[in-house]
């Protein structure tokens, strides 16, 4: 699926998560290889001026979801079965970048990793691995 | 720390996450043994009428945070280093209950598990393990 | 499946892991609720006199495997898809006890947790969550 | 630390895991970037002719250990606090290759990922993230 097709599907299926003005931009979506930008918003801050952990988990989950679409086609009923996150550094008060890459796309499961960066930084702020269960193909 | 003391600390340190009307209630907070209720709100829904994964991850992270406070005292600078979640069943459109329990409270790390339920159900909807890094004591 | 039936299946299917004299004893195997003992052997030690991490991971994986058998019947082709372990305390130079409990037994996936103890101690030495993929039923 | 210095330290501190003839070869050890080969041995097989999960977990843990040494110097008392593994494909009856890379080397914690391959294959058989706790520097 292309960036445009994925965006249109998300707006239709996930109007609460992805809509004009939501702050999420799909910057790349090749087969299982995805880059998402989340615009900085002060609501994401936690004490110490860093972006909150749940904000990072939500972005990683969204990036995996887009990666699954990009590799396995439109699967709005794909569901996360496992997500493991290691928080590595305090993110700056800046946009977050998610680089997602699928390591396996099987008949039942897709497994990928997502590395999260503060925009402009080379060292990651968090690393995620995640598994999605794919609906049975009819 | 008591429920009241933890609530007061959270309101002061995390006014964006915990405030009157936020929907989170600390129902129990013994030493490392915590129960949190998150009131249902339709904003948490995803396609299929279930509560979203990020909503569950955010609640689990919050419950661990309260559990750390309940066992190790006021530590607003404690930070999550790892969170692993297994999604088990689709939650109903109902309140979410988080039962958190610390398995270790060391000098540097606290490790716990959180089981999430839909209110009134006996089978869990998700299970989390998480590690918090504790600031060095002066 | 009973303890005896599981033991006989393991001896047939996994003669390298489970055989007379291997040091593993199935002490309980109810539906998804299992207790395994691993006899202490000095080969498992690492520097500092504690049992090695891989020894604990191997025992946890075995306990999950038995738990899957106990709940879903003989499934020698069930395979681990994910295992997450938190090491909590240094185990003593003693038998290891694994208490495994399935949290979900679905059509495709079984998810459980395993708590590991040094024999005679009340505080766990490690905690594991793990997912097994179950073969398609014909 | 160089490959030779790491090997000598391991032989001294972990004579049960690393010794002449153990089948493990450190093929690369730059700062936090390590490649380990584990020679195939039929004892590692499980039903279906694939290498067992515990064999892969043990290799990944060893590779992380070497990566910590390569980046943080001789730390025989470094201990694993968390290991998360996703099994992706059935490994062939061949040597296993572990590519480990540290994502963070902090004062207290080192976090890395390990990708495991069957020798000669381009698709990974398993992916691991792991955290080591580093002893306090005196």
């Amino acid at each position: 699926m292309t960036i445009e097709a994925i965006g249109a599907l998300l707006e239709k299926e996930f109007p609460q998560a992805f809509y004009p003005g939501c702050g999420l931009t799909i910057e790349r979506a090749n087969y299982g290889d995805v880059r998402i930008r989340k615009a900085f918003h002060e609501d994401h801050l936690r004490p110490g001026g860093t972006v909150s952990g749940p904000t990072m988990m939500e972005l990683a989950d969204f990036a995996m979801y887009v990666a699954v679409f990009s590799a396995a086609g439109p699967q709005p009923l794909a569901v996360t079965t496992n997500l493991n996150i290691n928080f590595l550094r305090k993110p700056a008060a800046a946009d977050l970048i998610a680089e997602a890459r699928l390591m396996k796309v099987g008949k039942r499961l897709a497994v990928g990793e997502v590395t999260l960066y503060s925009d402009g930084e080379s060292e990651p702020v968090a690393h995620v691995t995640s598994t999605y269960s794919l609906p049975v193909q009819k």
Side-chain angles (χ1 to χ4, degrees), chain A:
Chain A
M1 298 181 76
T2 63
I3 289 178
E4 291 69 26
I6 293 170
L9 180 62
L10 289 168
E11 280 193 52
K12 182 177 163 223
E13 299 285 350
F14 288 89
Q16 288 144 318
F18 192 75
Y19 53 88
C22 69
L24 293 165
T25 307
I26 305 173
E27 297 192 338
R28 186 182 67 244
N30 296 328
Y31 183 91
D33 182 3
V34 163
R35 179 183 166 103
I36 310 285
R37 175 183 296 268
K38 184 177 178 71
F40 174 72
H41 191 292
E42 65 176 17
D43 283 359
H44 309 143
L45 287 181
R46 58 163 279 174
T50 75
V51 178
S52 76
T55 299
M56 290 187 268
M57 292 189 277
E58 182 170 14
L59 173 58
D61 192 48
F62 180 80
M64 270 293 296
Y65 200 67
V66 174
V68 168
F69 279 11
S70 77
Q75 304 235 21
L77 295 181
V79 292
T80 314
T81 60
N82 175 264
L83 186 147
N84 183 65
I85 185 165
N86 285 297
F87 296 97
L88 302 171
R89 292 171 187 84
K90 294 197 175 181
D95 287 4
L96 275 180
I97 307 294
E99 296 272 357
R101 186 176 62 85
L102 295 186
M103 296 184 284
K104 175 185 175 175
V105 183
K107 288 180 186 169
R108 298 162 148 216
L109 297 176
V111 183
E113 66 175 336
V114 187
T115 310
L116 298 177
Y117 299 89
S118 284
D119 192 23
E121 303 287 335
S122 61
E123 299 278 22
V125 296
H127 181 270
V128 169
T129 55
S130 183
T131 301
Y132 263 72
S133 178
L134 306 178
V136 178
Q137 301 299 322
K138 304 295 167 63

